[in-house]
Amino acid sequence: MSRIPGMGIARGMSITLRRFFQPAVTIRYPEVTSPIPPKNRGRLQLLYDENGALKCETCFQCAQACPIECIDMGGVDTRGRYHIHWGPAETYGERREESALRRSGRPVADPAAERFAPIDLAPLDAILERHDHDPAELLAILEETQDAYGHLPVAALKHLSFRTAAPYALVYGTATYYRQFRLAPPADEAQAVAVAARRPTDASFLAALDASLGTGPRGTGAGAA
Amino acid sequence: MTTLLATPSTWPRILTAGFGATDPTDLDAAVAAGAFEGLTRAVRTHGPTGTIALLRASGLRGRGGGGFPTADKWDACAMAQGAVRHVVANGYESDPATHIARGLMEERPYAVVEGVAIAAFAVGATESYIAVRAEYGEAIRRLEAAVARAEAAGHIGANVLGSGRDIFVSVRPVRGAYMLGEETVLLKALEGKRGQPEQRPPYPSERGLWGRPTVVNDVVTLGAVGWIVANSADAYAAIGDPEAPGTTLVQVAGAIEEPGIAEVPTGTRLREIVDLAGQMASGHRLKAVVVGGPTGGILPPRELDTPYGYAALREVGAHVGSGSILVADERACVVDLATLLTRYCADEACGKTIPCRIGLRRLAEIGQRAASGHARPTDPALLADLSADIVASALCAHERAATNPLTSVLRYFRPELDEHLLRSACPAGVCHPIGVTPAGTAT
Ligand SMILES: Cc1cc2nc3c(=O)[nH]c(=O)nc-3n(C[C@H](O)[C@H](O)[C@H](O)COP(=O)(O)O)c2cc1C
Ligand code: SF4
Ligand code: FES
């Protein structure tokens, strides 16, 4: 508070006057654009197709390619099998509502959280120890982990990624690529089978092929064991 | 047991000679029948470069589907920079309906091992692998027994035949997905990585297993190598189609009386091959043949005069592929069949590139729309367009070939496709274009 009345106004006006004669900093967008760093990719946004379905197939390619792992995925994977979540919940549109609810203090049921349920990591650590925490032996590590736990718990994949320094996207991509791995616990098996049966795996492909040829089971099964 | 079809006695039997032996892993019997004669000659007489030259003169091409000259592949590997090289025999056999490689590995394990050893000798590889589909338990057991016995007898192993060269062979079961048959994917699987194809070049012969020069050959290709070196390049070059000489293994199955596998000279007409498998099932009429497995082309009867060869089949919109020939009679609907195959190919695609991840899916959807009577007027044009784009932009051979089933239907079975598209009707009575799918039908 100044003691001389009008002093504040005079000081304010002097700033205005000084600025008035300085060059303008306004950029006349869009006629003029400021340079964008060559590696800027803008805001990450997923697009929808004309049927309103997300065009992203949750294939994990981009997450795997991203050098600083800033991209992560939530959703159902390409083979329609798993509902996966990774990264902070707020990044997924489908979870945003939930997050808002949670901030309001009300409890929210989160089925995806089950996948992150903590597990006993001792068997996994023993496996990792045997393989020297070497990400080059990822496939063998995954096989043994599945043998130990009956399936591949998300918590195990997370730990595996952390301890071997293999990007999570790589671990997840490898685990879902090979058919012998399952991310759902065996209790879920009936459901997992039902999901898988929507797509022709080898046995159902052969059955469908025989049906399509009208030959019954002996046609394509020729020489089959 | 794989049924071996009877072939005319004038046709040479190189790969299937000795099929049906009581114990295929009996080393003495195999040696008496000529096993490891080729390896001995390669080491004692020809030397590495001589062996490759001999193979070039024989004209042998890869039987894994691509038809790449085997000698060129070996040469590239032998010339490539690198201290350590590998040989990988591709015994994965991705097509679930085909059992050709399994038959060969079970019945002629020594032929496969000898082929690998000759390749290893020619390119200078110490460690070689036979990658076998893990479900093929018997083949794995027999190959392991064959490797162990051959090593104990000194045919392979340390200092082979006093040449100062070590040739170690091991059997590696692999499992997990259809795409493992593709060579770059197979190498990834052996390295324990997610199986997705790599851009080629560089070919595996320059940068393969663990970044080292690697020869990847089909087991059927390698199965003939011992014979070629033991007999002569000229003898092999005289068989079959001069462009790609020799014999190859095919499997005839489907709506036919006696399905089985057969050894045929290249260039044999499709009709002759189909006839090996006997009559059509209970008097039905042949309507189409699917040549090349799930990614095969669907050919009408008038194309049965096509010779079985890489170029000729590609010309008519099919390919050698897995060596499978599936016969369909008039009970089958080609639209349904093509849709099923495309759907399978789309499901099995690795997801690395856009044509494979999304292109094949959209392609299968076009087929499904036709089969379910929801086709759009633009669908035939879209199908042709999309297929051309996929072929032009594909990373690996899978998505390129996966356009074969639907494009061959568009090319050869236009009237039947039009019935589906324009009248929502299925002449064969298989599809349900009005959208009603009775229980128990496969779509
Ligand atoms: C989708 C796909 C599946 C394949 N499956 C097999 C297979 O099951 N067995 C095989 O030997 N080659 C297969 N190949 C071919 C291999 O990539 C490779 O070309 C071959 O093993 C090389 O051997 P060759 O030169 O003796 O033909 C496949 C290729 C593709 C694109
Ligand atoms: S996950 Fe796959 S489909 Fe989705 S945005 Fe990334 S690359 Fe595209
Ligand atoms: S199948 Fe994915 S790139 Fe070929």
Side-chain angles (χ1 to χ4, degrees), chain A residues 60-79:
Chain A
F60 258 75
Q61 298 291 322
C62 55
Q64 196 167 323
C66 179
I68 54 171
E69 289 188 58
C70 76
I71 305 174
D72 257 311
M73 297 281 109
V76 177
D77 84 351
T78 353
R79 298 190 197 278

Side-chain angles (χ1 to χ4, degrees), chain B residues 179 197 348-353 356-357 395-399:
Chain B
M179 283 303 296
E348 295 296 336
C350 76
K352 182 170 185 172
T353 60
C356 112
R357 176 170 74 245
L395 168 65
C396 78
H398 174 64
E399 54 267 44

